[in-house]
Amino acid sequence: MPSKVTDYKESTLASLPKIMKKLNEQAMNPQDLYKRTRRCFDDVGEFVGQVQNVGVN
């Protein structure tokens, strides 16, 4: 989350539009979504946390 110490671009919220754009282009499972968006995350744990926030299952 953005805060006084965390810039928006570095927060998990910044990756949300990227995830949603990929999902709007086509439905995909979490593994394929990670392959297409992994450059937006520091590690797979960060990706999993964001996917849980979006509600992808």
Side-chain angles (χ1 to χ4, degrees), residues 27-45:
M28 61 186 81
N29 64 39
Q31 182 179 6
D32 291 335
L33 181 60
Y34 180 67
K35 287 178 184 176
R36 294 173 191 223
T37 61
R38 67 178 162 207
R39 62 184 170 83
C40 302
F41 302 98
D42 291 333
D43 57 41
V44 73

Side-chain angles (χ1 to χ4, degrees), residues 1 8 11 21 24 26 29 31 40 44-45 48-49 53 57:
M1 294 299 265
Y8 172 78
S11 72
K21 181 180 178 184
N24 283 332
Q26 72 179 53
N29 64 39
Q31 182 179 6
C40 302
V44 73
V48 169
N53 290 335
N57 48 15

